[in-house]
Amino acid sequence: MKRFSNPILVTRPYLPPLEDFKRGCEEIWSNQWLTNNGPILKRFQQELSRYLDVPETNLALFNNGTLALELGYYAMGLSGSEVITTPFTFVATSHALVRIGAKPVFADVDPETMCLSPEAAEKLITSRTKAIVPVHVYGNVCDVEGFARLGEKYGVKIVYDAAHVFGVFNRVEHVDRVEKKSIGCCGDMSMFSFHPTKLFHSCEGGLLVFKDAKVQEKLHELRNFAIHGELSCTDVGTNAKMNELQALMGLECLKKIDDLLDYRQKVYSAYAEVFSDCPEVKLVPYSQNKAYVPVLFKDFETRERVYTQLQEKCNVFSRRYFYPLLTDFAPYAYAKGSCPIAEDLASRVLTLPTYYGLPIEDVRAIAENVKEIVG
Ligand code: T4K
């Protein structure tokens, strides 16, 4: 078994060449403008609009993904309502609901994609339901058509937690051409996280993409305390503004996005090759951007053994995203036991290291170690 001399972490952020970042800092220094809708933020917004092919009127940037979600939910009018969502996600998806006074109602997931199941969600819709929040978990795309049908049939909003799915596009086939549509264009709203543990980041950051351009003004207001000039305040907003250094990091990382995506595919392929003769390790294949490398083991004991021995014997720090399940945490324990498929997946899943620059021979060695531990 290979023991790495330096720890291998589940992910490392891409960092742009320092010289390029310094050049951007010189501009910030000369502007003497650090936050509050600065010129670099505006440029970042333009570049994101171009990359995603979404009009600038349908985007809003925030200082992190959690506050983006919170304000997005609030602007959609979800306070006081029930919202159907998945327990197989990071806590932020539900925390942001509770923080605006909505109640998460948990429905089970699809056993293959691990994303919220539209069929399970439909069974829980009541007159109190105002929205469904599916998560494109690990970069696995949800059944967006199924959710669109629910949105239309019941008049509920569909708000995607798209934290993991930056760089994923839907192919729309026309008679004469194939159109590339950002996954952020599905539903009424989507949130992308730009945290450094994501394949694309801006130090910290969050982006909302929304169908109705009228929401932008509300979101811009909410992220800046809901104050207007010096004399007026119209709502209880907060401070969720992205600053100029974050925007600069985002701009520099966006230049590299194609390489970042390509490299994740290479890492995934290396794992897939080594695991191809090992049915005890089931690589989950559905992610389009390969933002994470989730694998499923036959049971909880095997997963725990691999997780522990990778650390102790190999110096490899995998993560059990998303275990425990949200419904195992105190704030959501009211729904404990209600989602058996998600519970089973959470008990068997492990996400293996992947990031730009992780040497491919190290990926192969990690996979060989996993096979050896599994036996
Ligand atoms: N929705 C979903 C589905 C999400 O997954 C998330 C965030 C959100 C919403 C909320 O978006 P944000 O508000 O975060 O924008 C991490 C992240 O903090 C969190 O952003 C992420 N999901 C979640 C899945 O994972 P931890 O506690 O696992 O992070 P941490 O500090 O243990 O870092 C993970 C690994 O990355 C470590 O091995 C160290 C390495 N690392 C980390 C950072 C921050 C670095 O090498 N450099 C770094 O700068 O939560």
Side-chain angles (χ1 to χ4, degrees):
M1 204 170 305
K2 172 162 176 157
R3 183 177 174 86
F4 293 90
S5 47
N6 292 318
I8 304 242
L9 306 181
V10 71
T11 195
R12 304 311 313 261
Y14 164 72
L15 288 167
L18 196 51
E19 280 313 307
D20 295 355
F21 196 77
K22 277 188 189 158
R23 254 195 307 280
C25 286
E26 279 162 19
E27 186 185 336
I28 294 174
W29 262 237
S30 100
N31 291 340
Q32 287 192 285
W33 196 276
L34 297 179
T35 185
N36 289 19
N37 216 15
I40 299 191
L41 177 106
K42 287 181 185 145
R43 211 182 306 148
F44 185 33
Q45 191 170 292
Q46 274 165 16
E47 289 302 314
L48 285 167
S49 154
R50 200 178 50 77
Y51 176 70
L52 297 170
D53 198 16
V54 171
E56 265 192 78
T57 47
N58 296 62
L59 302 176
L61 279 163
F62 300 86
N63 57 353
N64 62 60
T66 306
L67 279 170
L69 267 181
E70 194 176 314
L71 297 184
Y73 292 153
Y74 182 78
M76 288 267 133
L78 306 188
S79 301
S81 73
E82 286 187 0
V83 175
I84 298 169
T85 186
T86 167
F88 193 76
T89 180
F90 189 59
V91 285
T93 315
S94 276
H95 278 4
L97 282 170
V98 176
R99 293 182 66 79
I100 61 132
K103 181 179 179 196
V105 173
F106 295 99
D108 217 337
V109 299
D110 177 278
E112 291 295 317
T113 64
M114 304 173 154
C115 297
L116 183 66
S117 145
E119 292 75 29
E122 185 169 14
K123 289 189 189 129
L124 298 176
I125 295 175
T126 69
S127 56
R128 295 180 299 279
T129 311
K130 267 205 185 161
I132 302 177
V133 176
V135 179
H136 301 293
V137 69
Y138 304 132
N140 299 350
V141 173
C142 296
D143 176 358
V144 290
E145 279 149 23
F147 286 114
R149 272 195 296 278
L150 293 185
E152 265 174 40
K153 186 168 165 191
Y154 296 98
V156 294
K157 303 275 185 209
I158 308 296
V159 180
Y160 285 100
D161 181 333
H164 300 172
V165 85
F166 194 75
V168 171
F169 292 84
N170 262 349
R171 280 167 58 86
V172 184
E173 310 243 351
H174 298 280
V175 194
D176 52 342
R177 73 203 149 90
V178 176
E179 192 190 355
K180 239 177 88 181
K181 254 190 135 187
S182 165
I183 199 70
C185 297
C186 301
D188 296 282
M189 187 177 268
S190 293
M191 183 286 290
F192 295 100
S193 161
F194 297 161
H195 186 266
T197 54
K198 304 292 179 276
L199 70 83
F200 168 77
H201 74 94
S202 58
C203 289
E204 290 254 16
L207 172 73
L208 287 177
V209 177
F210 33 86
K211 195 152 86 185
D212 180 359
K214 288 201 285 293
V215 187
Q216 192 186 47
E217 198 184 334
K218 183 75 186 164
L219 288 168
H220 283 175
E221 181 183 298
L222 288 169
R223 76 180 179 191
N224 190 32
F225 315 98
I227 52 169
H228 293 263
E230 293 180 42
L231 301 178
S232 153
C233 174
T234 52
D235 203 342
V236 183
T238 188
N239 181 355
K241 297 176 298 279
M242 176 176 275
N243 68 48
E244 291 290 271
L245 285 157
Q246 289 176 289
L248 175 62
M249 180 62 89
L251 268 175
E252 292 301 325
C253 291
L254 196 55
K255 291 180 185 161
K256 191 80 178 171
I257 185 68
D258 291 340
D259 292 342
L260 301 181
L261 288 163
D262 284 352
Y263 202 85
R264 298 269 171 159
Q265 298 290 340
K266 288 197 181 88
V267 169
Y268 177 85
S269 302
Y271 278 120
E273 202 185 307
V274 180
F275 291 141
S276 63
D277 62 352
C278 183
E280 289 86 359
V281 185
K282 192 181 157 219
L283 196 52
V284 181
Y286 304 101
S287 167
Q288 286 186 29
N289 60 2
K290 306 292 186 253
Y292 293 79
V293 179
V295 291
L296 284 168
F297 298 98
K298 74 172 187 323
D299 53 26
F300 174 75
E301 289 69 30
T302 314
R303 194 276 308 276
E304 290 296 287
R305 191 168 76 246
V306 176
Y307 172 73
T308 311
Q309 293 196 11
L310 275 180
Q311 276 185 32
E312 289 172 0
K313 297 190 174 165
C314 315
N315 213 11
V316 171
F317 292 78
S318 60
R319 291 296 283 266
R320 292 166 291 187
Y321 296 133
F322 289 98
Y323 167 84
L325 214 54
L326 257 61
T327 46
D328 289 327
F329 292 132
Y332 309 109
Y334 58 84
K336 194 172 170 60
S338 62
C339 300
I341 301 172
E343 229 165 273
D344 171 57
L345 295 170
S347 73
R348 295 189 291 121
V349 75
L350 192 66
T351 54
L352 298 176
T354 181
Y355 50 89
Y356 182 78
L358 174 61
I360 297 301
E361 65 266 28
D362 289 359
V363 175
R364 291 211 179 87
I366 296 166
E368 292 293 354
N369 286 346
V370 171
K371 272 164 71 171
E372 208 176 315
I373 298 166
V374 169

